[in-house]
Amino acid sequence: MTPGGAMTGADPLAGLRAYHLPDAPSWWPPAPGWWVLALLLLVAAVSSAWWIARRRRCHAAARQAERELGQLHANLKEHGDARAFVRGLSKLLRRFALVAFARREVASLTGDDWLKFLDRHGGGGRFLAGPGRQLLEAPYRPSVDVSTEDLLVLVQEWIRHNQEVCR
C-alpha cells in the first residue's frame, strides 16, 4: 500500500511479524482451587497426626496398665497380700481412667459414683454389684476375703474395653 491507499504489486503480508507462541503459563502463583486443596490437605494431615498420636498414647496407657496388672498379680502370688492387691487395682483403674477419659469426668468420683462410672464404661454392673465392689470395701477391712481372680479378670476386661475410648 502506498501512503495514499493504493495497492502496489508488493506482498501485502511482508510487513507482518512471524507467528509466535504465547509464553507458557507460570506455575506460581497457583490458582485459588489449588490453595483450597493445599489447605484441606494440611488440615487432613494435622488431624491425622493428632489422631494417631492420641491413639498411640491410649494404647500405650493400656499396655502399661496391663503390665502393672501383671505385676500386681505376681506380687499377690508371691506375698499373698489381698489388701495391697485390691488397693493397687483401685489406683491402677483410677490412673488409667484419667488418661482415657476427661479429667473433669473422672477426678472427683468416689465411692458408689466411682463404681457406677466403671460400670457405665464397660463394667456391666460387676463393679457396683459384683466383685468390683471390693475396690471400695477391701482396703479398709482387717481381713480380706476377696475373689482376686474375678477381680483381676474384671479389671483386665475393663482396661481392654476402654483402650479405644481416649477422649
Side-chain angles (χ1 to χ4, degrees):
M1 281 201 194
T2 60
M7 292 279 286
T8 60
D11 182 15
L13 300 177
L16 293 177
R17 284 187 348 185
Y19 179 77
H20 66 282
L21 295 173
D23 292 336
S26 172
W27 66 274
W28 193 260
W34 289 110
W35 285 107
V36 171
L37 180 63
L39 182 64
L40 289 174
L41 289 174
L42 180 66
V43 167
V46 168
S47 298
S48 296
W50 176 80
W51 182 79
I52 289 169
R54 188 170 174 90
R55 184 174 165 88
R56 288 186 65 155
R57 184 185 66 144
C58 289
H59 282 266
R63 283 190 306 273
Q64 179 63 30
E66 287 190 12
R67 274 194 297 272
E68 288 184 31
L69 194 58
Q71 290 171 348
L72 286 170
H73 192 240
N75 287 343
L76 173 67
K77 284 185 174 184
E78 183 178 334
H79 302 293
D81 189 357
R83 283 179 38 183
F85 177 70
V86 174
R87 272 195 311 269
L89 289 180
S90 184
K91 289 177 186 177
L92 178 63
L93 278 171
R94 176 75 63 168
R95 286 184 15 245
F96 182 74
L98 285 170
V99 170
F101 297 93
R103 188 178 246 349
R104 69 183 179 287
E105 187 180 355
V106 175
S108 64
L109 296 175
T110 59
D112 284 347
D113 291 336
W114 169 239
L115 296 180
K116 287 176 188 174
F117 170 83
L118 293 172
D119 280 338
R120 228 180 10 257
H121 295 285
R126 295 179 297 165
F127 281 99
L128 194 58
R133 184 103 192 131
Q134 297 301 315
L135 293 173
L136 294 184
E137 298 169 357
Y140 305 106
R141 291 191 175 173
S143 65
V144 179
D145 186 25
V146 178
S147 172
T148 56
E149 290 302 317
D150 291 343
L151 197 53
L152 176 72
V153 169
L154 177 60
V155 170
Q156 189 172 34
E157 287 173 0
W158 193 88
I159 290 170
R160 287 182 180 159
H161 180 268
N162 289 290
Q163 75 180 2
E164 299 288 335
V165 171
C166 273
R167 295 184 180 131

